[in-house]
Amino acid sequence: MKQMKIVYKGGEGELVEKKSRFIATVVPVNSEEEALDFIAAMKKKYWNATHNCSAFVVGENYEIQRCSDDGEPQGTAGRPMLDVLLGEEIHNAAVVVTRYFGGTLLGTGGLVRAYSKAVQEGLRESTVIEKKVGALLRIRTDYNGIGKIQYLLGQRGLTITNSEYTDVVVVETLVPEEQRKELRSAVTEATNGKAEFLSEDAVCFAFLDGEPLIF
């Protein structure tokens, strides 16, 4: 995939429905084993809870999908939780929703809504980023060319992630794969071939609060 949404940093959300307490814990995972270890750890942490329902997705194309109702009526917890992850197009993530029963039955529809909403709260408290496949380009140009390159990058929503000013200018930028060839052509044309591409490294990247993350 050229891009996908992942959980960069997990979080914990909580809600109360008819005195039942729902705690959603979200974490990033890269394998089924990691997900199962996380679920086991949550069951140990919340050993006295009524239920510890779970769901996780792993793989670029959601190759691994698992969910558990953990004693809730079938289809009222795990599947709705999984549907939230899939609906938000989140990859490589696991969530456990811990329930402490408050004494009032919620009914089938109430349980589905509560578990779905809990996962949404957990995601809201997590840091979700969009990871893209692309390249880290290093471009060297003279002072006449830098303004043109800055303009071309701005047009395409691209950011200069690093720059060095000496007798020439060297800039770095992260470019999604689908823009890479077109940008190279545009830079070459705008600078009459004077700009030099020093390196072009294949990377996966994202931005968090304006700061680049390279994977």
Side-chain angles (χ1 to χ4, degrees):
M1 292 183 68
K2 291 183 179 179
Q3 59 187 48
M4 64 180 186
K5 288 167 68 176
I6 62 169
V7 175
Y8 179 69
K9 183 179 180 182
E12 184 180 289
E14 186 174 331
L15 65 93
V16 176
E17 292 285 344
K18 294 183 179 179
K19 298 183 181 180
S20 277
R21 183 185 176 202
F22 295 85
I23 306 166
T25 308
V26 179
V27 298
V29 294
N30 291 307
S31 67
E32 183 172 9
E33 183 180 13
E34 280 187 29
L36 294 175
D37 286 346
F38 160 67
I39 293 166
M42 288 296 98
K43 287 185 174 183
K44 185 176 181 180
K45 177 179 179 180
Y46 295 110
W47 60 270
N48 61 340
T50 316
H51 304 280
N52 283 291
C53 304
S54 60
F56 62 89
V57 289
V58 177
E60 289 187 358
N61 297 300
Y62 307 110
E63 288 87 353
I64 301 173
Q65 305 178 23
R66 302 282 187 273
C67 60
S68 169
D69 295 313
D70 193 41
E72 291 282 29
Q74 186 175 357
T76 62
R79 184 69 220 189
M81 292 166 58
L82 181 62
D83 286 343
V84 172
L85 294 179
L86 295 173
E88 294 289 337
E89 299 181 339
I90 303 288
H91 296 255
N92 296 352
V95 57
V96 169
V97 175
T98 301
R99 181 189 184 189
Y100 286 94
F101 182 55
T104 302
L105 295 175
L106 299 182
T108 301
L111 286 172
V112 170
R113 287 189 294 272
Y115 278 101
S116 298
K117 188 176 178 182
V119 177
Q120 291 166 352
E121 291 294 327
L123 288 173
R124 192 171 292 118
E125 296 300 321
S126 303
T127 302
V128 177
I129 60 174
E130 190 164 23
K131 185 168 76 169
K132 299 180 180 181
V133 173
L136 175 64
L137 296 183
R138 295 186 77 239
I139 308 168
R140 180 163 59 198
T141 183
D142 57 25
Y143 280 81
N144 291 324
I146 186 59
K148 297 172 183 176
I149 292 173
Q150 289 171 330
Y151 175 74
L152 291 173
L153 295 178
Q155 268 189 325
R156 291 156 178 77
L158 303 176
T159 304
I160 291 177
T161 55
N162 193 29
S163 58
E164 303 169 14
Y165 287 81
T166 55
D167 55 326
V168 294
V169 183
V170 177
V171 295
E172 291 184 357
T173 186
L174 290 162
V175 187
E177 179 59 29
E178 63 270 20
Q179 293 180 264
R180 182 176 54 84
K181 288 184 179 179
E182 187 276 332
L183 177 67
R184 284 185 62 111
S185 297
V187 168
T188 299
E189 181 179 347
T191 62
N192 295 318
K194 293 181 180 179
E196 181 183 357
F197 292 88
L198 300 178
S199 61
E200 185 173 331
D201 300 321
V203 296
C204 289
F205 68 93
F207 284 90
L208 178 60
D209 298 329
E211 293 298 316
L213 303 170
I214 298 178
F215 302 89

